[in-house]
């Protein structure tokens, strides 16, 4: 192995705003740089906000742009990444969302250490659907796990999913979702969000953070809100996140009209001031149909507002029902509406959930995440000697 340690952080996407994910990636690069390792960050394109890559460059990281793989097995992606990894004599290759083609390239390039961070659950495992044909073999997940030296799963549920689908449990470790806790814990400021959207101080604000995709369950949120609104007419529902799917966005807009809650459900779009939005909210809901863990949920808990989330994936590893939040049955509109009503009707319950949620959040700190990942790097390096 070369004396020079070259670390490639392969995103398979690009940052849009400065999220906890963005900060954790930056801190990991800085940690590697402190070890005198050379860092390379591979993005699918240059972000619109160039300031999002400036700190990486200042940390000595070289930023490279490679198109995201087209499908799970993209021969152009494999060839492109193979050439790149051979050229820089890569030592550690760590990929995230876009994984199968890049990690095949890393294996072909004889990169000594290859990691995949599994950040989400698959629809098959979560929905209890049996894949058909060749999909029964889960070829993408199976080959990624075969090619990886180690898989870092975002939750025990994500780890168990891999074991159930393709095995390789001996290669999987759990590294929990990182969140910039200080930003959400200690933020102070005026009620600028309420002013921006003409929401009065007496209104009850319910917030969901995610994006317009079926998996995030915003249709469930809107339907449940329409029931809550009948009992609490001073409620507003804020949907925060990008319009990923136009089809699903149109479905939600139609649903809002059919349920008669126009003007009560407010779409904020992609925002870079989510800490302020959470601080000005009274309740957070997380209605995902599938979720590896959920940084947005931890951020809401750190912000000091009660949380109601679906009982799925890695969410029960974050929320203990009735203790630091409430869980509702996935896809169950009535159950979600009842849980929201319970919190809004019982100030003691709300306060107790918030107080309990504040305890134990340090396990999600960015510092802990960076230490965990860098320790995996070091242990794998030691194993290679």
């Amino acid at each position: 192995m070369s004396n020079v340690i070259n670390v490639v952080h392969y995103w398979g996407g690009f940052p849009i705003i400065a999220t906890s994910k963005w900060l954790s990636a930056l801190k990991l690069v800085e940690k590697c740089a402190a070890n005198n390792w050379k860092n390379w960050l591979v993005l699918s394109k240059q972000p619109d906000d160039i300031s999002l890559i400036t700190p990486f460059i200042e940390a000595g990281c070289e930023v490279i742009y490679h198109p995201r793989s087209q499908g799970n097995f993209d021969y152009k992606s494999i060839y492109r990444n193979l050439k790149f990894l051979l050229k820089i004599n890569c030592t550690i290759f760590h990929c995230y969302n876009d994984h199968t083609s890049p990690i095949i390239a890393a294996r072909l390039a004889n990169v000594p250490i290859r990691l995949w961070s599994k950040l989400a659950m698959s629809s098959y495992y979560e929905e209890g659907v049996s894949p058909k044909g060749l999909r029964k073999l889960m070829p993408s997940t199976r080959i990624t796990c075969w090619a990886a030296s180690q898989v870092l799963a975002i939750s025990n549920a994500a780890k168990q999913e891999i074991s159930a689908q393709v095995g390789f449990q001996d290669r999987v470790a759990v590294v929990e979702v990182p969140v910039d806790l200080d930003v959400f814990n200690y933020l102070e400021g005026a009620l600028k969000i309420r002013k921006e959207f003409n929401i009065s101080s007496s209104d009850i604000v319910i917030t969901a953070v995610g994006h317009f995709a079926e998996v995030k369950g915003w249709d469930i949120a809107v339907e449940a809100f329409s029931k809550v609104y009948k009992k609490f007419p001073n409620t507003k529902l804020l949907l925060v996140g990008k319009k990923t799917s136009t089809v699903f966005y149109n479905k939600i807009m139609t649903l809002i009209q059919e349920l008669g809650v126009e003007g009560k459900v407010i779409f904020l779009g992609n925002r870079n001031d989510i800490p302020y939005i959470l601080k000005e909210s009274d309740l957070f809901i997380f209605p995902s149909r599938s979720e590896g863990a959920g940084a947005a949920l931890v951020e809401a808990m750190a912000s000091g507002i009660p949380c109601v989330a679906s009982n799925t994936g890695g969410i029960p590893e974050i929320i203990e029902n009735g203790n630091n939040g409430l869980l509702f049955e996935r896809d169950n509109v009535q159950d979600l509406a009842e849980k929201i009503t319970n919190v809004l009707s019982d100030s003691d319950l709300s306060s107790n959930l918030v107080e309990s949620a504040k305890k134990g959040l340090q396990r999600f700190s960015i510092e802990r995440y960076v230490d965990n990942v860098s320790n995996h790097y070091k242990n794998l390096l030691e194993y290679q000697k």
Side-chain angles (χ1 to χ4, degrees):
M1 188 184 299
S2 170
N3 291 328
V4 178
I5 305 298
N6 288 296
V7 187
V8 172
H9 311 268
Y10 194 98
W11 269 33
F14 63 96
I16 299 174
I17 58 175
T19 61
S20 292
K21 175 185 175 183
W22 172 87
L23 183 59
S24 64
L26 175 60
K27 294 298 182 183
L28 182 57
V29 163
E30 291 174 345
K31 181 87 169 183
C32 292
N35 293 327
N36 294 318
W37 299 350
K38 171 65 178 175
N39 287 278
W40 307 75
L41 175 64
V42 181
L43 305 177
S44 61
K45 60 173 283 189
Q46 180 175 294
D48 295 331
D49 183 356
I50 199 69
S51 69
L52 292 171
I53 62 172
T54 302
F56 289 89
I57 296 171
E58 290 174 346
C61 180
E62 191 159 339
V63 181
I64 305 294
Y65 301 103
H66 284 176
R68 189 181 177 97
S69 302
Q70 300 299 306
N72 291 327
F73 301 97
D74 181 347
Y75 297 108
K76 290 183 179 179
S77 173
I78 294 171
Y79 180 65
R80 180 172 57 245
N81 284 292
L82 175 60
K83 286 201 306 180
F84 165 62
L85 296 173
L86 287 172
K87 179 181 178 181
I88 68 167
N89 193 22
C90 180
T91 315
I92 300 174
F93 180 80
H94 189 170
C95 59
Y96 296 81
N97 299 319
D98 182 5
H99 54 91
T100 306
S101 294
I103 209 162
I104 289 173
R107 182 73 183 245
L108 292 174
N110 290 319
V111 175
I113 297 165
R114 306 167 303 277
L115 301 98
W116 169 40
S117 279
K118 179 174 171 55
L119 306 178
M121 308 289 288
S122 78
S123 59
Y124 296 130
Y125 184 83
E126 276 294 290
E127 297 170 10
V129 176
S130 297
K132 298 178 180 179
L134 288 176
R135 291 184 178 180
K136 288 182 179 181
L137 297 175
M138 304 297 293
S140 175
T141 301
R142 188 179 299 276
I143 289 176
T144 295
C145 290
W146 166 80
S149 309
Q150 190 158 56
V151 177
L152 304 180
I154 202 169
S155 62
N156 280 303
K159 176 180 179 177
Q160 290 164 10
E161 177 195 308
I162 291 176
S163 298
Q165 289 179 338
V166 299
F168 295 101
Q169 56 265 36
D170 57 325
R171 296 190 187 182
V172 186
V174 175
V175 176
E176 292 180 304
V177 57
V179 168
D180 187 4
L181 297 173
D182 289 344
V183 168
F184 296 91
N185 265 322
Y186 305 116
L187 183 70
E188 295 180 0
L191 299 180
K192 65 171 190 172
I193 305 301
R194 288 180 180 248
K195 289 178 182 177
E196 179 181 348
F197 292 96
N198 196 29
I199 301 171
S200 74
S201 58
S202 61
D203 283 338
I204 299 170
V205 175
I206 303 170
T207 297
V209 175
H211 54 94
F212 274 99
E214 195 96 26
V215 70
K216 291 301 179 182
W218 279 4
D219 51 333
I220 304 299
V222 170
E223 289 188 57
F225 172 77
S226 69
K227 297 178 180 296
V228 172
Y229 175 70
K230 294 176 182 178
K231 297 182 179 180
F232 299 91
N234 63 328
T235 50
K236 296 286 195 303
L237 174 62
L238 306 185
L239 300 178
V240 186
K242 61 183 177 180
K243 187 167 67 175
T244 310
S245 166
T246 301
V247 172
F248 191 63
Y249 173 83
N250 292 336
K251 176 182 176 179
I252 294 293
M253 294 303 108
T254 300
L255 187 61
I256 288 171
Q257 292 180 344
E258 291 175 349
L259 295 173
V261 287
E262 304 99 318
K264 307 302 177 183
V265 179
I266 305 171
F267 175 43
L268 275 63
N270 226 23
R271 305 282 298 206
N272 60 8
D273 56 354
I274 289 176
Y276 285 97
I277 295 170
L278 293 174
K279 281 293 183 183
E280 296 179 37
S281 301
D282 300 291
L283 175 66
F284 182 81
I285 58 174
F286 203 56
S288 295
R289 291 184 166 93
S290 178
E291 197 71 49
L297 177 59
V298 179
E299 290 171 350
M301 294 169 75
S303 296
I305 54 176
C307 298
V308 180
S310 53
N311 189 2
T312 190
I315 293 175
E317 297 171 40
I318 298 173
I319 285 186
E320 181 185 348
N321 188 38
N323 178 29
N324 59 351
L326 297 181
L327 296 174
F328 74 95
E329 182 184 0
R330 185 184 62 190
D331 266 336
N332 191 322
V333 171
Q334 185 61 39
D335 193 20
L336 174 56
E338 289 175 1
K339 293 296 195 306
I340 293 173
T341 300
N342 289 344
V343 175
L344 298 184
S345 302
D346 190 338
S347 59
D348 287 339
L349 172 62
S350 177
S351 298
N352 290 337
L353 294 178
V354 169
E355 286 303 310
S356 295
K358 287 283 187 177
K359 302 172 183 176
L361 286 180
Q362 280 304 313
R363 71 187 237 237
F364 302 109
S365 71
I366 286 178
E367 293 76 16
R368 179 167 179 174
Y369 169 83
V370 170
D371 285 344
N372 284 346
V373 175
S374 62
N375 284 337
H376 282 293
Y377 290 172
K378 291 176 182 177
N379 290 339
L380 289 166
L381 283 170
E382 285 294 320
Y383 183 75
Q384 289 293 322
K385 291 182 179 179

